[in-house]
Amino acid sequence: MSKSLVIIALDWDAFYCSVEEHFNPELKKIAFAVKQKGIICTCNYVARARGVKKLQMLVDAVKQFPDLVIVNGEDLSRYRDASKELWYFVRDMVWGGKVERLGFDELFLDVTEMIDYNIALLDNLHASGVSQRSVDSAPFFFRMSKEDESVGFSCPLSSVAGNLATGSLPENFEGDNLRLVLGSHVCHYIRSQILDIKGYTSSGGVSINKTLAKMAGAAHKPNQQTVLFPEFAQDFLDAFDIGRIPWIGHRSKSIILDAIYKGSDGVNDTPEEDRDSTVFTVRHLANKHIFVNSLGQSSGEKLWDLLHGIDHSVVQPTSDIPTQISIEDTFKSLTSLIEVHNVLSRLSHSLLERVQVDLMDSNGDWLGHPRTMRLTTRTRSSGYGSRISRSDSLPAIVFSSSHTSDYIVDYLVDRCWMPLFSKLIGDAKAFDIVLLNVAVVNIEKAPAKSSDITAFFGKKKPNDNDHLQDVHIEEPVHKRAKVVGEYAKSEFSDGLAEDEEDVVSEDDSCDEVCVVCGQRMMSFALEAHMRFHDFGE
Ligand code: DCP
Ligand code: MG
Ligand code: MG
């Protein structure tokens, strides 16, 4: 019989606040919130205890809680840096670096190999003649390193670390259950290391797949962890509204409910307020066929499986190198070239900084090189729904260590961004820009230890066809999107995006940027994606 995976989901508690507290420990004692463009994107748990809510409008929060301290969180760099540092720290503890990063504050760890190894040690102990009873009642030393047997921690085999998702213990601690018991101790150890060494608290979930681990982790917060044994997974899920399952957004939910509750004559529809949408009810009223018919083959199967606690998506170790890096800002109105020039200068400074932070290792070696630069804009006349982009090859000067940043930025703006801008607006005598986005894309992994950038760029001449590519993408509906580095998409959101195409109206097939992790995706995938981030609210 195949053994189950052991997956840990970690989510940093009140992440942006924790980063702020890290730099200013005084904040720990007071109720404060981090704002971005008129919204409270998060607040610390002191504020939450008083009733402040994440994603509240700033004006409402200030009215309701006049002494709430507000910290401006529009500069994401500290959050990004902290997120990266924590990710690397965790990744160093997990064999094979099997850690997938979702946004800034979530990680999935596949610790299966570590569990297998330790179970084998345990089996050896049993086989060596020591009685099962005495092995199981003594603390077990869980090895976190194959090479160094002193690295690890002691843990009891007879109890679970943390909370139980449904409050019940399995009848026995054997087989897959024992694997999850060990997983709970690994989760506890890793969280303790993060707290002791890095000073960040987290909430953890342990189960046999990513979705169950994530949902379990959200059951008890902050600074807690929860284990979900497979035999209780269905009971655990059945109580949720289907919209609370990560990846089931409002759109999918309403399609599913329509399929179940709409009478074929349009007369015998169940009114919306009477529609029971718990997982339990939906599972009993629908079947896989209904899901596939209404959501398409791949999404239908995937979501049906999710309702049954089945999630085949694997933990895909996140690459050190983002797929693209972009910075953008929105404006009331930019109508002159000088204004555009100034903004491009400012954005280029940030972009250059980001390129250095994200693509350079601590020794100053480049990890990857973007080949293309892309300018995107939206004009008032093009309407809210439309972005236009132009791309060109990125000049190697970006990687030069013999020029100052100011020099490089001036070079980029005058010789690259402004000419691209002219191409974008074409013959227009007057323009009214409401958004500018500068990006480097098409990032290639650098050859090992190669600091010879010229050689790297020499190996492939820019393709003439690449030189000026017209790209027309639609505008995010999600207004808060400010920027961002973009890391590889998670497998799951790809799946949904592909498949939901057949169930959305044309207006919705927009390009979106997630405000949490910067991932770009089709708009219909965004909501489900945000559910994934917001799960636990
Ligand atoms: N974030 C954001 N906009 C959103 C959701 C989140 O800017 N719509 C940011 C602020 C959060 C961070 O992402 O600090 C992580 O999101 P979480 O949903 O995990 O929220 P927190 O970590 O703040 O709180 P929790 O303790 O509930 O996880
Ligand atoms: Mg969090
Ligand atoms: Mg989160």
Side-chain angles (χ1 to χ4, degrees):
M1 208 181 90
S2 70
K3 298 188 190 88
S4 65
L5 299 178
V6 181
I7 307 295
I8 297 174
L10 294 180
D11 186 307
W12 313 130
D13 296 325
F15 182 53
Y16 288 6
C17 293
S18 303
V19 176
E20 297 297 341
E21 289 170 6
H22 191 77
F23 288 100
N24 180 4
E26 285 294 299
L27 285 170
K28 283 188 186 173
K29 293 176 248 146
I30 58 173
F32 80 100
V34 175
K35 67 141 191 166
Q36 278 176 357
K37 296 213 163 175
I39 291 174
I40 283 189
C41 59
T42 192
C43 50
N44 67 353
Y45 277 83
V46 182
R48 291 187 206 188
R50 290 172 47 184
V52 186
K53 297 253 177 313
K54 287 205 279 189
L55 304 182
Q56 226 181 330
M57 295 304 290
L58 183 62
V59 277
D60 297 341
V62 172
K63 209 181 289 167
Q64 214 180 334
F65 309 98
D67 54 351
L68 182 69
V69 172
I70 307 291
V71 173
N72 187 338
E74 264 151 42
D75 176 4
L76 298 181
S77 47
R78 292 207 294 201
Y79 313 136
R80 184 183 309 111
D81 293 348
S83 162
K84 205 164 158 185
E85 185 183 335
L86 292 171
W87 164 40
Y88 286 164
F89 183 75
V90 171
R91 193 174 65 175
D92 281 349
M93 285 188 271
V94 177
W95 295 0
K98 286 197 180 169
V99 177
E100 179 177 334
R101 193 176 179 213
L102 182 72
F104 279 175
D105 98 323
E106 289 166 54
L107 297 176
F108 291 104
L109 291 55
D110 184 341
V111 296
T112 310
E113 191 191 338
M114 305 165 81
I115 301 290
D116 285 345
Y117 182 85
N118 280 277
I119 293 271
L121 293 180
L122 199 55
D123 288 344
N124 285 344
L125 274 180
H126 288 143
S128 67
V130 188
S131 83
Q132 173 106 13
R133 231 182 125 75
S134 59
V135 170
D136 294 349
S137 56
F140 171 68
F141 188 79
F142 189 100
R143 283 180 54 178
M144 293 289 290
S145 162
K146 280 186 208 170
E147 292 75 34
D148 184 346
E149 59 181 39
S150 68
V151 178
F153 57 90
S154 284
C155 60
L157 293 174
S158 53
S159 63
V160 169
N163 306 288
L164 301 164
T166 54
S168 320
L169 273 175
E171 260 175 33
N172 64 64
F173 276 11
E174 289 159 17
D176 287 347
N177 289 342
L178 177 61
R179 298 162 68 75
L180 285 183
V181 170
L182 287 178
S184 76
H185 293 300
V186 175
C187 180
H188 185 261
Y189 174 78
I190 290 177
R191 289 179 49 248
S192 308
Q193 293 288 106
I194 300 164
L195 182 56
D196 294 349
I197 297 169
K198 296 290 175 188
Y200 283 84
T201 63
S202 56
S203 297
V206 186
S207 197
I208 54 167
N209 62 44
K210 284 161 62 177
T211 301
L212 292 179
K214 181 177 168 77
M215 293 183 71
H220 298 276
K221 290 160 69 163
N223 197 16
Q224 299 187 59
Q225 65 174 60
T226 306
V227 189
L228 177 53
F229 289 95
E231 66 196 75
F232 303 118
Q234 195 62 66
D235 279 351
F236 178 69
L237 291 175
D238 275 348
F240 284 90
D241 186 280
I242 56 166
R244 306 279 301 148
I245 306 291
W247 304 113
I248 302 189
H250 284 302
R251 192 178 314 278
S252 304
K253 177 178 166 179
S254 76
I255 290 167
I256 293 166
L257 295 184
D258 280 353
I260 302 172
Y261 287 110
K262 261 198 187 297
S264 53
D265 51 6
V267 175
N268 296 317
D269 290 7
T270 308
E272 292 205 4
E273 59 280 12
D274 295 341
R275 294 174 171 187
D276 180 345
S277 51
T278 57
V279 171
F280 179 85
T281 304
V282 171
R283 283 198 309 114
H284 285 87
L285 292 181
N287 56 43
K288 196 175 202 160
H289 187 66
I290 293 178
F291 268 54
V292 167
N293 267 352
S294 47
L295 294 163
Q297 187 74 28
S298 158
S299 279
E301 281 181 6
K302 215 169 270 183
L303 298 195
W304 181 252
D305 280 352
L306 280 186
L307 296 191
H308 295 84
I310 300 164
D311 172 8
H312 297 295
S313 65
V314 292
V315 171
Q316 287 182 318
T318 302
S319 156
D320 280 346
I321 304 175
T323 54
Q324 55 177 288
I325 299 171
S326 75
I327 306 279
E328 78 181 27
D329 211 346
T330 48
F331 319 93
K332 280 214 173 74
S333 166
L334 293 183
T335 51
S336 70
L337 284 175
I338 186 76
E339 285 174 302
V340 171
H341 189 283
N342 289 344
V343 169
L344 286 173
S345 218
R346 176 167 58 78
L347 294 179
S348 297
H349 265 292
S350 309
L351 184 68
L352 200 61
E353 227 174 75
R354 280 285 313 283
V355 165
Q356 282 162 358
V357 169
D358 285 4
L359 297 180
M360 207 180 242
D361 68 12
S362 47
N363 302 320
D365 289 322
W366 289 98
L367 299 165
H369 300 110
R371 291 206 155 269
T372 308
M373 61 199 296
R374 186 187 65 203
L375 178 67
T376 303
T377 187
R378 190 176 85 227
T379 61
R380 192 168 297 283
S381 58
S382 67
Y384 187 62
S386 184
R387 285 181 179 219
I388 313 282
S389 299
R390 284 262 174 159
S391 309
D392 201 352
S393 336
L394 184 71
I397 193 172
V398 168
F399 307 102
S400 163
S401 51
S402 48
H403 293 94
T404 62
S405 296
D406 286 345
Y407 182 90
I408 298 172
V409 165
D410 286 348
Y411 182 101
L412 287 177
V413 175
D414 294 337
R415 306 225 200 156
C416 308
W417 294 127
M418 288 308 288
L420 275 177
F421 182 75
S422 302
K423 297 219 158 64
L424 268 176
I425 56 165
D427 298 332
K429 298 259 178 319
F431 53 83
D432 194 353
I433 302 296
V434 290
L435 174 144
L436 281 173
N437 173 306
V438 294
V440 291
V441 301
N442 195 7
I443 300 176
E444 285 185 16
K445 206 173 162 65
K449 286 281 164 209
S450 167
S451 51
D452 184 355
I453 302 302
T454 332
F456 177 81
F457 272 77
K459 104 181 157 61
K460 187 176 143 195
K461 287 259 175 291
N463 179 345
D464 277 350
N465 297 333
D466 287 347
H467 191 67
L468 277 178
Q469 306 154 341
D470 270 315
V471 188
H472 185 90
I473 49 182
E474 301 295 313
E475 169 65 6
V477 174
H478 199 60
K479 189 64 185 96
R480 291 192 50 228
K482 172 148 176 126
V483 198
V484 284
E486 302 179 13
Y487 288 83
K489 282 187 179 181
S490 89
E491 179 185 292
F492 217 132
S493 79
D494 280 345
L496 266 183
E498 231 174 73
D499 220 59
E500 284 206 339
E501 251 160 6
D502 55 357
V503 296
V504 293
S505 66
E506 256 178 48
D507 288 344
D508 284 317
S509 53
C510 300
D511 190 65
E512 273 293 3
V513 179
C514 167
V515 289
V516 185
C517 64
Q519 187 169 305
R520 196 172 276 281
M521 67 198 74
M522 302 302 278
S523 75
F524 50 78
L526 183 78
E527 196 206 326
H529 176 89
M530 290 308 287
R531 295 288 321 131
F532 207 82
H533 283 302
D534 290 345
F535 183 77
E537 287 317 290

PDB file of all heavy atoms in Angstrom, residues 475-500:
ATOM      1  N   GLU A 475      -6.901  44.930 -18.373  1.00  0.00           N
ATOM      2  CA  GLU A 475      -6.632  45.571 -17.092  1.00  0.00           C
ATOM      3  C   GLU A 475      -7.214  44.800 -15.914  1.00  0.00           C
ATOM      4  O   GLU A 475      -8.333  44.310 -15.969  1.00  0.00           O
ATOM      5  CB  GLU A 475      -7.276  46.944 -17.135  1.00  0.00           C
ATOM      6  CG  GLU A 475      -7.334  47.669 -15.835  1.00  0.00           C
ATOM      7  CD  GLU A 475      -5.946  48.001 -15.349  1.00  0.00           C
ATOM      8  OE1 GLU A 475      -4.987  47.767 -16.093  1.00  0.00           O
ATOM      9  OE2 GLU A 475      -5.832  48.475 -14.226  1.00  0.00           O
ATOM     10  N   PRO A 476      -6.447  44.698 -14.811  1.00  0.00           N
ATOM     11  CA  PRO A 476      -7.007  44.065 -13.635  1.00  0.00           C
ATOM     12  C   PRO A 476      -8.280  44.756 -13.165  1.00  0.00           C
ATOM     13  O   PRO A 476      -8.363  45.987 -13.196  1.00  0.00           O
ATOM     14  CB  PRO A 476      -5.934  44.255 -12.575  1.00  0.00           C
ATOM     15  CG  PRO A 476      -4.695  44.524 -13.303  1.00  0.00           C
ATOM     16  CD  PRO A 476      -5.084  45.121 -14.622  1.00  0.00           C
ATOM     17  N   VAL A 477      -9.194  43.960 -12.729  1.00  0.00           N
ATOM     18  CA  VAL A 477     -10.401  44.512 -12.152  1.00  0.00           C
ATOM     19  C   VAL A 477     -10.094  44.882 -10.702  1.00  0.00           C
ATOM     20  O   VAL A 477     -10.616  45.822 -10.145  1.00  0.00           O
ATOM     21  CB  VAL A 477     -11.502  43.422 -12.171  1.00  0.00           C
ATOM     22  CG1 VAL A 477     -12.742  43.907 -11.441  1.00  0.00           C
ATOM     23  CG2 VAL A 477     -11.814  43.046 -13.604  1.00  0.00           C
ATOM     24  N   HIS A 478      -9.165  44.112 -10.124  1.00  0.00           N
ATOM     25  CA  HIS A 478      -8.842  44.268  -8.720  1.00  0.00           C
ATOM     26  C   HIS A 478      -8.033  45.531  -8.527  1.00  0.00           C
ATOM     27  O   HIS A 478      -6.877  45.600  -8.886  1.00  0.00           O
ATOM     28  CB  HIS A 478      -8.029  43.043  -8.310  1.00  0.00           C
ATOM     29  CG  HIS A 478      -8.020  42.834  -6.850  1.00  0.00           C
ATOM     30  ND1 HIS A 478      -9.160  42.623  -6.138  1.00  0.00           N
ATOM     31  CD2 HIS A 478      -7.004  42.803  -5.987  1.00  0.00           C
ATOM     32  CE1 HIS A 478      -8.841  42.463  -4.881  1.00  0.00           C
ATOM     33  NE2 HIS A 478      -7.550  42.570  -4.764  1.00  0.00           N
ATOM     34  N   LYS A 479      -8.614  46.554  -7.971  1.00  0.00           N
ATOM     35  CA  LYS A 479      -8.044  47.884  -8.000  1.00  0.00           C
ATOM     36  C   LYS A 479      -6.778  48.033  -7.149  1.00  0.00           C
ATOM     37  O   LYS A 479      -5.926  48.865  -7.399  1.00  0.00           O
ATOM     38  CB  LYS A 479      -9.126  48.856  -7.498  1.00  0.00           C
ATOM     39  CG  LYS A 479      -8.801  50.309  -7.664  1.00  0.00           C
ATOM     40  CD  LYS A 479      -8.692  50.683  -9.126  1.00  0.00           C
ATOM     41  CE  LYS A 479      -8.249  52.107  -9.311  1.00  0.00           C
ATOM     42  NZ  LYS A 479      -6.862  52.295  -9.517  1.00  0.00           N
ATOM     43  N   ARG A 480      -6.621  47.179  -6.112  1.00  0.00           N
ATOM     44  CA  ARG A 480      -5.536  47.446  -5.188  1.00  0.00           C
ATOM     45  C   ARG A 480      -4.177  47.040  -5.724  1.00  0.00           C
ATOM     46  O   ARG A 480      -3.167  47.311  -5.125  1.00  0.00           O
ATOM     47  CB  ARG A 480      -5.796  46.714  -3.880  1.00  0.00           C
ATOM     48  CG  ARG A 480      -6.956  47.313  -3.131  1.00  0.00           C
ATOM     49  CD  ARG A 480      -6.990  46.771  -1.733  1.00  0.00           C
ATOM     50  NE  ARG A 480      -5.687  46.904  -1.129  1.00  0.00           N
ATOM     51  CZ  ARG A 480      -5.084  45.931  -0.501  1.00  0.00           C
ATOM     52  NH1 ARG A 480      -5.639  44.774  -0.403  1.00  0.00           N
ATOM     53  NH2 ARG A 480      -3.904  46.121   0.032  1.00  0.00           N
ATOM     54  N   ALA A 481      -4.172  46.344  -6.817  1.00  0.00           N
ATOM     55  CA  ALA A 481      -2.909  45.856  -7.330  1.00  0.00           C
ATOM     56  C   ALA A 481      -1.894  46.978  -7.437  1.00  0.00           C
ATOM     57  O   ALA A 481      -2.135  47.961  -8.070  1.00  0.00           O
ATOM     58  CB  ALA A 481      -3.140  45.257  -8.688  1.00  0.00           C
ATOM     59  N   LYS A 482      -0.798  46.859  -6.750  1.00  0.00           N
ATOM     60  CA  LYS A 482       0.246  47.874  -6.883  1.00  0.00           C
ATOM     61  C   LYS A 482       1.439  47.135  -7.392  1.00  0.00           C
ATOM     62  O   LYS A 482       1.634  46.417  -7.188  1.00  0.00           O
ATOM     63  CB  LYS A 482       0.542  48.450  -5.526  1.00  0.00           C
ATOM     64  CG  LYS A 482       1.751  49.342  -5.603  1.00  0.00           C
ATOM     65  CD  LYS A 482       1.761  50.440  -4.712  1.00  0.00           C
ATOM     66  CE  LYS A 482       2.976  51.174  -4.790  1.00  0.00           C
ATOM     67  NZ  LYS A 482       2.986  52.501  -5.009  1.00  0.00           N
ATOM     68  N   VAL A 483       1.918  46.528  -7.810  1.00  0.00           N
ATOM     69  CA  VAL A 483       3.141  45.986  -8.135  1.00  0.00           C
ATOM     70  C   VAL A 483       3.589  44.593  -7.886  1.00  0.00           C
ATOM     71  O   VAL A 483       2.877  43.966  -7.324  1.00  0.00           O
ATOM     72  CB  VAL A 483       4.037  46.360  -7.147  1.00  0.00           C
ATOM     73  CG1 VAL A 483       5.307  46.169  -7.700  1.00  0.00           C
ATOM     74  CG2 VAL A 483       3.328  46.719  -6.188  1.00  0.00           C
ATOM     75  N   VAL A 484       5.015  44.487  -8.067  1.00  0.00           N
ATOM     76  CA  VAL A 484       5.251  43.167  -7.649  1.00  0.00           C
ATOM     77  C   VAL A 484       6.245  42.352  -8.362  1.00  0.00           C
ATOM     78  O   VAL A 484       6.514  42.616  -9.501  1.00  0.00           O
ATOM     79  CB  VAL A 484       3.968  42.511  -7.800  1.00  0.00           C
ATOM     80  CG1 VAL A 484       3.183  42.980  -6.696  1.00  0.00           C
ATOM     81  CG2 VAL A 484       3.358  42.895  -9.105  1.00  0.00           C
ATOM     82  N   GLY A 485       6.734  41.416  -7.634  1.00  0.00           N
ATOM     83  CA  GLY A 485       7.659  40.448  -8.204  1.00  0.00           C
ATOM     84  C   GLY A 485       6.829  39.240  -8.463  1.00  0.00           C
ATOM     85  O   GLY A 485       5.881  39.005  -7.756  1.00  0.00           O
ATOM     86  N   GLU A 486       7.169  38.515  -9.458  1.00  0.00           N
ATOM     87  CA  GLU A 486       6.282  37.414  -9.754  1.00  0.00           C
ATOM     88  C   GLU A 486       7.024  36.098  -9.723  1.00  0.00           C
ATOM     89  O   GLU A 486       8.002  35.928 -10.406  1.00  0.00           O
ATOM     90  CB  GLU A 486       5.633  37.656 -11.100  1.00  0.00           C
ATOM     91  CG  GLU A 486       4.893  38.969 -11.026  1.00  0.00           C
ATOM     92  CD  GLU A 486       4.231  39.339 -12.301  1.00  0.00           C
ATOM     93  OE1 GLU A 486       4.126  38.490 -13.178  1.00  0.00           O
ATOM     94  OE2 GLU A 486       3.832  40.503 -12.405  1.00  0.00           O
ATOM     95  N   TYR A 487       6.524  35.240  -8.902  1.00  0.00           N
ATOM     96  CA  TYR A 487       7.142  33.934  -8.782  1.00  0.00           C
ATOM     97  C   TYR A 487       6.295  32.926  -9.542  1.00  0.00           C
ATOM     98  O   TYR A 487       5.154  33.194  -9.877  1.00  0.00           O
ATOM     99  CB  TYR A 487       7.269  33.566  -7.305  1.00  0.00           C
ATOM    100  CG  TYR A 487       8.337  34.394  -6.658  1.00  0.00           C
ATOM    101  CD1 TYR A 487       8.061  35.672  -6.197  1.00  0.00           C
ATOM    102  CD2 TYR A 487       9.635  33.945  -6.603  1.00  0.00           C
ATOM    103  CE1 TYR A 487       9.052  36.462  -5.657  1.00  0.00           C
ATOM    104  CE2 TYR A 487      10.634  34.726  -6.062  1.00  0.00           C
ATOM    105  CZ  TYR A 487      10.341  35.981  -5.590  1.00  0.00           C
ATOM    106  OH  TYR A 487      11.319  36.763  -5.067  1.00  0.00           O
ATOM    107  N   ALA A 488       6.906  31.800  -9.803  1.00  0.00           N
ATOM    108  CA  ALA A 488       6.219  30.801 -10.617  1.00  0.00           C
ATOM    109  C   ALA A 488       4.823  30.541 -10.084  1.00  0.00           C
ATOM    110  O   ALA A 488       4.603  30.501  -8.886  1.00  0.00           O
ATOM    111  CB  ALA A 488       7.018  29.517 -10.599  1.00  0.00           C
ATOM    112  N   LYS A 489       3.899  30.387 -10.983  1.00  0.00           N
ATOM    113  CA  LYS A 489       2.523  30.130 -10.577  1.00  0.00           C
ATOM    114  C   LYS A 489       2.414  28.798  -9.879  1.00  0.00           C
ATOM    115  O   LYS A 489       3.125  27.876 -10.192  1.00  0.00           O
ATOM    116  CB  LYS A 489       1.646  30.032 -11.819  1.00  0.00           C
ATOM    117  CG  LYS A 489       1.302  31.336 -12.419  1.00  0.00           C
ATOM    118  CD  LYS A 489       0.321  31.049 -13.511  1.00  0.00           C
ATOM    119  CE  LYS A 489      -0.106  32.324 -14.185  1.00  0.00           C
ATOM    120  NZ  LYS A 489      -1.069  32.035 -15.223  1.00  0.00           N
ATOM    121  N   SER A 490       1.473  28.707  -8.976  1.00  0.00           N
ATOM    122  CA  SER A 490       1.292  27.409  -8.374  1.00  0.00           C
ATOM    123  C   SER A 490       0.540  26.551  -9.369  1.00  0.00           C
ATOM    124  O   SER A 490      -0.220  27.046 -10.195  1.00  0.00           O
ATOM    125  CB  SER A 490       0.527  27.519  -7.076  1.00  0.00           C
ATOM    126  OG  SER A 490      -0.818  27.432  -7.350  1.00  0.00           O
ATOM    127  N   GLU A 491       0.786  25.305  -9.256  1.00  0.00           N
ATOM    128  CA  GLU A 491       0.206  24.346 -10.192  1.00  0.00           C
ATOM    129  C   GLU A 491      -1.310  24.473 -10.247  1.00  0.00           C
ATOM    130  O   GLU A 491      -1.937  24.447 -11.274  1.00  0.00           O
ATOM    131  CB  GLU A 491       0.574  22.974  -9.647  1.00  0.00           C
ATOM    132  CG  GLU A 491       0.091  21.810 -10.407  1.00  0.00           C
ATOM    133  CD  GLU A 491       0.459  20.578  -9.611  1.00  0.00           C
ATOM    134  OE1 GLU A 491       1.653  20.289  -9.499  1.00  0.00           O
ATOM    135  OE2 GLU A 491      -0.447  19.928  -9.089  1.00  0.00           O
ATOM    136  N   PHE A 492      -1.857  24.698  -9.039  1.00  0.00           N
ATOM    137  CA  PHE A 492      -3.297  24.688  -8.957  1.00  0.00           C
ATOM    138  C   PHE A 492      -3.947  25.840  -9.713  1.00  0.00           C
ATOM    139  O   PHE A 492      -4.923  25.673 -10.414  1.00  0.00           O
ATOM    140  CB  PHE A 492      -3.689  24.775  -7.488  1.00  0.00           C
ATOM    141  CG  PHE A 492      -4.880  23.946  -7.228  1.00  0.00           C
ATOM    142  CD1 PHE A 492      -4.891  23.083  -6.167  1.00  0.00           C
ATOM    143  CD2 PHE A 492      -5.962  24.020  -8.069  1.00  0.00           C
ATOM    144  CE1 PHE A 492      -5.995  22.302  -5.939  1.00  0.00           C
ATOM    145  CE2 PHE A 492      -7.053  23.240  -7.846  1.00  0.00           C
ATOM    146  CZ  PHE A 492      -7.078  22.380  -6.790  1.00  0.00           C
ATOM    147  N   SER A 493      -3.365  27.012  -9.565  1.00  0.00           N
ATOM    148  CA  SER A 493      -4.043  28.134 -10.203  1.00  0.00           C
ATOM    149  C   SER A 493      -3.950  27.994 -11.710  1.00  0.00           C
ATOM    150  O   SER A 493      -4.833  28.398 -12.437  1.00  0.00           O
ATOM    151  CB  SER A 493      -3.451  29.456  -9.747  1.00  0.00           C
ATOM    152  OG  SER A 493      -2.258  29.728 -10.419  1.00  0.00           O
ATOM    153  N   ASP A 494      -2.870  27.368 -12.179  1.00  0.00           N
ATOM    154  CA  ASP A 494      -2.790  27.110 -13.611  1.00  0.00           C
ATOM    155  C   ASP A 494      -3.951  26.268 -14.064  1.00  0.00           C
ATOM    156  O   ASP A 494      -4.606  26.530 -15.054  1.00  0.00           O
ATOM    157  CB  ASP A 494      -1.505  26.337 -13.932  1.00  0.00           C
ATOM    158  CG  ASP A 494      -0.343  27.296 -13.989  1.00  0.00           C
ATOM    159  OD1 ASP A 494      -0.594  28.506 -14.060  1.00  0.00           O
ATOM    160  OD2 ASP A 494       0.778  26.830 -13.951  1.00  0.00           O
ATOM    161  N   GLY A 495      -4.184  25.231 -13.296  1.00  0.00           N
ATOM    162  CA  GLY A 495      -5.234  24.286 -13.655  1.00  0.00           C
ATOM    163  C   GLY A 495      -6.570  24.986 -13.777  1.00  0.00           C
ATOM    164  O   GLY A 495      -7.288  24.835 -14.751  1.00  0.00           O
ATOM    165  N   LEU A 496      -6.855  25.820 -12.776  1.00  0.00           N
ATOM    166  CA  LEU A 496      -8.146  26.484 -12.778  1.00  0.00           C
ATOM    167  C   LEU A 496      -8.267  27.454 -13.938  1.00  0.00           C
ATOM    168  O   LEU A 496      -9.265  27.495 -14.621  1.00  0.00           O
ATOM    169  CB  LEU A 496      -8.297  27.286 -11.486  1.00  0.00           C
ATOM    170  CG  LEU A 496      -9.006  26.575 -10.365  1.00  0.00           C
ATOM    171  CD1 LEU A 496      -9.150  27.504  -9.197  1.00  0.00           C
ATOM    172  CD2 LEU A 496     -10.376  26.109 -10.834  1.00  0.00           C
ATOM    173  N   ALA A 497      -7.197  28.198 -14.144  1.00  0.00           N
ATOM    174  CA  ALA A 497      -7.254  29.224 -15.169  1.00  0.00           C
ATOM    175  C   ALA A 497      -7.592  28.586 -16.505  1.00  0.00           C
ATOM    176  O   ALA A 497      -8.438  29.065 -17.237  1.00  0.00           O
ATOM    177  CB  ALA A 497      -5.924  29.936 -15.249  1.00  0.00           C
ATOM    178  N   GLU A 498      -6.907  27.504 -16.783  1.00  0.00           N
ATOM    179  CA  GLU A 498      -7.117  26.809 -18.034  1.00  0.00           C
ATOM    180  C   GLU A 498      -8.562  26.415 -18.222  1.00  0.00           C
ATOM    181  O   GLU A 498      -9.150  26.591 -19.246  1.00  0.00           O
ATOM    182  CB  GLU A 498      -6.365  25.493 -17.910  1.00  0.00           C
ATOM    183  CG  GLU A 498      -5.443  25.148 -19.011  1.00  0.00           C
ATOM    184  CD  GLU A 498      -4.748  23.897 -18.567  1.00  0.00           C
ATOM    185  OE1 GLU A 498      -5.422  22.867 -18.592  1.00  0.00           O
ATOM    186  OE2 GLU A 498      -3.579  23.968 -18.162  1.00  0.00           O
ATOM    187  N   ASP A 499      -9.070  25.900 -17.118  1.00  0.00           N
ATOM    188  CA  ASP A 499     -10.316  25.220 -17.259  1.00  0.00           C
ATOM    189  C   ASP A 499     -11.549  26.080 -17.112  1.00  0.00           C
ATOM    190  O   ASP A 499     -12.588  25.779 -17.656  1.00  0.00           O
ATOM    191  CB  ASP A 499     -10.363  24.146 -16.179  1.00  0.00           C
ATOM    192  CG  ASP A 499     -10.956  22.916 -16.731  1.00  0.00           C
ATOM    193  OD1 ASP A 499     -10.376  22.417 -17.690  1.00  0.00           O
ATOM    194  OD2 ASP A 499     -12.017  22.513 -16.238  1.00  0.00           O
ATOM    195  N   GLU A 500     -11.392  27.178 -16.354  1.00  0.00           N
ATOM    196  CA  GLU A 500     -12.582  27.966 -16.123  1.00  0.00           C
ATOM    197  C   GLU A 500     -12.921  28.822 -17.329  1.00  0.00           C
ATOM    198  O   GLU A 500     -13.953  29.458 -17.343  1.00  0.00           O
ATOM    199  CB  GLU A 500     -12.417  28.821 -14.868  1.00  0.00           C
ATOM    200  CG  GLU A 500     -12.578  27.968 -13.627  1.00  0.00           C
ATOM    201  CD  GLU A 500     -13.043  28.779 -12.435  1.00  0.00           C
ATOM    202  OE1 GLU A 500     -12.881  29.995 -12.433  1.00  0.00           O
ATOM    203  OE2 GLU A 500     -13.584  28.170 -11.511  1.00  0.00           O
TER     204      GLU A 500
END
